[in-house]
Amino acid sequence: MTKVLFVCLGNICRSPMAEFVLKDMVRRRGLEEEFIIESRGTSSEEIGNDVHYGTVRKLNSVGVPVEHRQATKFTKRDYDEFDYIIGMEARNVRDIMTFIDEDPDDKVCRLLDYSNNPRDIADPWYTGNFDITYQDVVEGCEAFLKSIT
Ligand code: 4NP
């Protein structure tokens, strides 16, 4: 069993998008029984709130199933429970480190660190551009799956 946790700031735009995209990819490959995939935020701002409408609309348009969920904040216990702790941007990695102090198992990185072009994934909460975020999330999830399978 491979346990993957995506982390962003609010847990309503990018990390749920990555959660649903990766779930769809592993389902299509017949691997869903081999993965646990969840997401969290580092801020308290959106705790309890459902997925942002921009993420829902983008995923609906490309046929990626969306689950209703409540935004949840990252905790130190998540570090022990998951094999991969994957942030969307450098700020998320810095914020995760304030919860865990150290990363002895080298579990924490950005999603696009798995790609050939490591970079941050922009926050559509601020940019309003869910198309670019989706393209980056797909690139990162494909690269991540390739790196572990
Ligand atoms: P996310 O986007 O980190 O991709 O979920 C954000 C959502 C909400 C806020 C910031 C970023 N906020 O400040 O409430």
Side-chain angles (χ1 to χ4, degrees):
M1 184 67 75
T2 302
K3 298 179 180 176
V4 183
L5 187 68
F6 292 111
V7 181
C8 63
L9 183 60
N11 191 217
I12 59 169
C13 299
R14 291 165 296 174
S15 62
M17 184 186 280
E19 172 184 339
F20 298 138
V21 164
L22 188 65
K23 280 180 174 168
D24 189 53
M25 284 179 182
V26 302
R27 198 181 299 118
R28 287 170 189 274
R29 289 165 168 79
L31 300 173
E32 59 188 309
E33 302 300 324
E34 296 176 28
F35 284 84
I36 289 176
I37 304 164
E38 296 183 17
S39 65
R40 304 279 190 271
T42 58
S43 88
S44 305
E45 212 59 43
E46 301 286 346
I47 289 174
N49 290 343
D50 207 338
V51 183
H52 191 286
Y53 181 65
T55 288
V56 174
R57 190 168 52 183
K58 181 64 199 178
L59 294 183
N60 282 343
S61 79
V62 290
V64 172
V66 177
E67 303 158 29
H68 283 290
R69 61 184 304 284
Q70 294 194 318
T72 307
K73 192 171 177 180
F74 182 83
T75 67
K76 196 168 184 176
R77 197 183 317 143
D78 291 321
Y79 184 81
D80 300 320
E81 287 188 5
F82 287 87
D83 304 310
Y84 298 92
I85 316 279
I86 305 177
M88 300 294 123
E89 59 181 323
R91 176 184 176 178
N92 305 142
V93 171
R94 283 198 304 274
D95 289 343
I96 291 165
M97 293 310 297
T98 67
F99 288 88
I100 63 175
D101 297 327
E102 52 184 3
D103 178 15
D105 301 324
D106 209 13
K107 295 180 181 182
V108 184
C109 69
R110 298 176 301 180
L111 181 54
L112 285 171
D113 288 336
Y114 291 98
S115 79
N116 292 329
N117 180 14
R119 62 194 189 277
D120 286 347
I121 295 181
D123 192 340
W125 174 262
Y126 300 108
T127 66
N129 192 329
F130 286 82
D131 296 329
I132 287 180
T133 296
Y134 173 74
Q135 286 166 23
D136 285 350
V137 163
V138 168
E139 180 181 339
C141 287
E142 281 174 348
F144 169 71
L145 268 187
K146 200 171 166 191
S147 84
I148 65 163
T149 55

